[in-house]
Amino acid sequence: MRLYKMELYKLLYRKIFRISMPAVLGILFAYFLLICVGEERSTINGSLYTGFEAIRRDREITEEFRGILTDEKAGRIIEEYGFPSQVIENYGGFRDENYLNGFVTEYLGNGYLKSWDDYRISTGLRPLRESELGKAAEASGRAVILDYAKGWPAFLELLQLGMILGSALVVAAASPVFSEEQQSRMAALLFTSREGREKDAFAKTAAAFTAAALIYIVITSFIFLLVGVVYGFDGGECMSGMTLMQYGFYPASPVSLKSTAFITFLMLSLDLLALFTLCAITLCVSAHQKTAFHTVVLTFAVWTAPLLLRLLFNGAGYLLASGTPLFLVMTGILADWYDMLFIPVSIAACILVCTAFSGWNAWRRAEANV
């Protein structure tokens, strides 16, 4: 335990970690303010609201209509706020909509908006039971729940960025674990210590995975706090096909019938698996290299290599790449592989176990190479 605490202290108090962790949180905060909140807009009775005020006003007007969506409730929304109609070039939606009339028009309106130069303004509503959303709800045996659910896509958008940045931080933190001891020629001394090679290898491995877990906890907690305070997490019981369309979740697909909260939980689980797998890969490379610099370069090459695999081999390449740390943190992976989620999970688990054991074993046997 003493050796483990020493190794963990070394990792967490490195200058690169103490600088990078606040930097990652700062980037997430800036992205949240400028992109997530900064792009919010809501038009209510002719008045335009943007940013924090748009979110607040949308949450307020939704309170009256929360609950099971009915044709009567949809009609009341349109009667009060009207159909949105303003379209401008290169903007992917109606400029004069709010959360409520935008939602009703999207799913029940008799018009459409494919692009800024291909659209038709809605003039009436289709019955809920005849809409794609209504048919999906009927297939799932659940009612359509209307609630302010924009916090969930905002959370997942920020989470995806956070896990990419967190992955880079895991590589930076874990890269020196083994290779730096070789570089500083401390390996020979460590191997003659009272704890011995096996305990040293175990302590270093455990400390690296603890650091990866702490990175995950800090980033996810920070994002949860940001989104919860501003957007809230209402609407978790809504079907993911209603709230996560930007990630490929559409009402007609089986995965989209699951609740948004459940999909978010699955994504959080995949993110943790991705960081642990990347940590294991980093440790494996570190144990086989004699400098921390070479470890960082090779690990980043291995981390990004699945992109090339995806481009060169299309579907088969995507199948293999889906279980790698880079792709596991992408929210779209759930929409694409939900019915066969065991495939990317199994690939990631195999990579994690094999590389972790290889790195531990390589360092345990490294005395002959010192």
Side-chain angles (χ1 to χ4, degrees):
M1 182 60 70
R2 183 180 63 86
L3 193 57
Y4 161 75
K5 290 180 179 179
M6 290 174 56
E7 293 296 337
L8 183 59
Y9 179 87
K10 285 167 58 178
L11 288 179
L12 299 183
Y13 281 86
R14 291 180 188 276
K15 183 179 293 186
I16 188 171
F17 187 88
R18 289 186 286 118
I19 294 175
S20 299
M21 190 75 251
V24 166
L25 299 182
I27 292 172
L28 291 175
F29 185 68
Y31 185 91
F32 179 71
L33 290 181
L34 299 176
I35 305 300
C36 296
V37 176
E39 293 185 355
E40 291 286 350
R41 57 185 291 128
S42 176
T43 301
I44 302 174
N45 297 327
S47 298
L48 173 64
Y49 304 92
T50 59
F52 289 104
E53 186 63 14
I55 297 171
R56 187 183 69 82
R57 294 288 295 173
D58 273 342
R59 294 180 68 178
E60 285 180 355
I61 65 174
T62 305
E63 281 295 320
E64 179 185 352
F65 298 95
R66 290 180 64 182
I68 297 176
L69 180 65
T70 62
D71 291 328
E72 183 270 336
K73 186 178 290 187
R76 284 170 48 211
I77 290 172
I78 295 302
E79 181 179 349
E80 185 165 348
Y81 300 109
F83 286 107
S85 59
Q86 183 183 4
V87 178
I88 66 171
E89 185 175 352
N90 297 325
Y91 184 79
F94 291 104
R95 293 283 286 181
D96 57 344
E97 69 180 13
N98 57 53
Y99 181 77
L100 288 176
N101 65 359
F103 178 89
V104 171
T105 302
E106 172 73 27
Y107 291 108
L108 303 179
N110 60 4
Y112 62 87
L113 175 61
K114 297 180 180 179
S115 66
W116 65 271
D117 59 351
D118 184 9
Y119 66 92
R120 185 176 69 191
I121 304 300
S122 292
T123 56
L125 296 176
R126 295 172 292 164
L128 179 61
R129 66 178 182 277
E130 297 178 7
S131 68
E132 184 181 19
L133 183 62
K135 293 176 182 177
E138 183 179 358
S140 67
R142 302 167 57 189
V144 178
I145 303 298
L146 173 62
D147 206 342
Y148 184 80
K150 294 186 78 171
W152 298 96
F155 179 84
L156 289 174
E157 181 178 355
L158 208 59
L159 181 67
Q160 182 171 287
L161 174 62
M163 288 299 107
I164 292 174
L165 296 174
S167 296
L169 188 52
V170 167
V171 173
S175 291
V177 168
F178 293 127
S179 57
E180 190 175 66
E181 306 294 4
Q182 296 277 23
Q183 184 176 343
S184 62
R185 301 187 181 277
M186 288 292 293
L189 180 62
L190 290 172
F191 289 152
T192 59
S193 67
R194 182 176 60 184
E195 285 80 5
R197 293 176 295 175
E198 293 192 6
K199 287 186 177 181
D200 181 72
F202 178 80
K204 289 179 179 295
T205 301
F209 277 102
T210 302
L214 288 174
I215 290 170
Y216 172 84
I217 292 170
V218 170
I219 290 177
T220 54
S221 299
F222 182 72
I223 295 171
F224 186 86
L225 179 64
L226 279 182
V227 176
V229 169
V230 177
Y231 286 91
F233 286 105
D234 295 329
E237 70 277 16
C238 294
M239 292 185 296
S240 60
M242 292 169 46
T243 58
L244 304 177
M245 290 182 65
Q246 68 194 83
Y247 298 111
F249 292 83
Y250 299 102
S253 63
V255 63
S256 298
L257 303 180
K258 302 296 181 180
S259 72
T260 304
F262 176 72
I263 293 298
T264 303
F265 171 77
L266 283 184
M267 197 65 242
L268 286 167
S269 302
L270 291 182
D271 287 339
L272 182 60
L273 177 61
L275 291 193
F276 277 174
T277 303
L278 182 59
C279 181
I281 292 172
T282 307
L283 290 175
C284 181
V285 176
S286 181
H288 289 85
Q289 296 298 314
K290 295 186 181 297
T291 68
F293 175 77
H294 289 152
T295 300
V296 171
V297 172
L298 287 175
T299 303
F300 272 112
V302 172
W303 180 39
T304 56
L307 284 175
L308 185 62
L309 188 68
R310 172 72 173 92
L311 292 173
L312 292 179
F313 300 101
N314 297 319
Y318 187 29
L319 175 64
L320 296 175
S322 65
T324 61
L326 182 63
F327 278 83
L328 275 180
V329 301
M330 303 298 178
T331 304
I333 205 77
L334 275 176
D336 294 338
W337 295 102
Y338 179 78
D339 292 332
M340 298 183 291
L341 196 57
F342 68 92
I343 294 179
V345 170
S346 299
I347 292 173
C350 287
I351 295 173
L352 192 160
V353 173
C354 293
T355 53
F357 176 78
S358 176
W360 175 80
N361 192 54
W363 179 250
R364 187 173 62 88
R365 297 175 177 274
E367 186 177 19
N369 299 322
V370 176

